[in-house]
Amino acid sequence: GDLVMTLMGDKVPTTVDNFLAYVNATPNSFYKGTIFHRIAKLITNPNQYFVMQGGGYGATTNGQLPALKATNAPIGIETAGGNNVQWSVAMANSGPGTVTSQFFINAVDNTAILGNGYSVFGNLTAASITVAQALLATPATCTNNALAGTIDCLPQPDLTITAASQIQ
């Protein structure tokens, strides 16, 4: 199915421009062929999904992730986009100045957990929520990530992004 996002270019223009640069990369979108490589649950609440993350890895081989795809130069974190509420979309990062291509979809309201340390840049449209819910339910191989406090699951088979395009 399609995951359609409404972007917040008026609030976080650098983040939206960064995301769209990957979407509109030529000859094919950067995201084409990448996978959702992480569906996470909190260790403290293993019965509820936390986030689903993608946009950095190609297809797995024998259940193993390949090397990260090469990306554009990283950008900083913009926090004016809003909170990590359910079905919002944010850029993943590993600290200030590390935002590249990976993004995540909040499966629940993560405002209290994630605060404003991530660039929230969009929201899924209502029609996309059932697609996201189906993706979250994909069988996966899971491991505890005690450092992050999450149970990180790698969907099997791969959840591959087959196309990405800007429609407005």
Side-chain angles (χ1 to χ4, degrees):
D2 293 334
L3 291 175
V4 179
M5 303 172 193
T6 302
L7 306 182
M8 301 175 185
D10 59 327
K11 295 181 179 178
V12 286
T14 302
T15 302
V16 168
D17 287 349
N18 175 70
F19 180 73
L20 290 176
Y22 288 107
V23 167
N24 296 321
T26 56
N28 293 309
S29 171
F30 173 90
Y31 292 118
K32 182 178 181 179
T34 63
I35 62 170
F36 281 96
H37 67 275
R38 179 176 180 244
I39 295 180
K41 303 175 183 183
L42 294 174
I43 290 174
T44 56
N45 191 359
N47 296 318
Q48 184 167 353
Y49 294 105
F50 172 56
V51 297
M52 55 190 287
Q53 184 173 334
Y57 293 96
T60 60
T61 303
N62 298 322
Q64 299 296 312
L65 290 172
L68 278 168
K69 286 184 73 172
T71 62
N72 299 334
I75 63 168
I77 299 168
E78 288 183 297
T79 59
N83 296 316
N84 287 285
V85 295
Q86 187 175 35
W87 309 124
S88 63
V89 185
M91 296 305 290
N93 69 71
S94 58
T98 63
V99 174
T100 57
S101 64
Q102 291 188 49
F103 61 92
F104 63 90
I105 299 169
N106 287 287
V108 293
D109 185 341
N110 290 315
T111 303
I113 297 166
L114 298 178
N116 66 352
Y118 296 88
S119 299
V120 176
F121 69 96
N123 293 291
L124 291 184
T125 62
S128 296
I129 293 171
T130 55
V131 174
Q133 289 169 326
L135 296 175
L136 289 167
T138 301
T141 303
C142 302
T143 57
N144 280 0
N145 181 346
L147 184 62
T150 57
I151 301 168
D152 292 343
C153 302
L154 176 63
Q156 294 293 309
D158 289 342
L159 296 176
T160 304
I161 298 172
T162 58
S165 60
Q166 181 177 353
I167 56 176
Q168 279 187 326

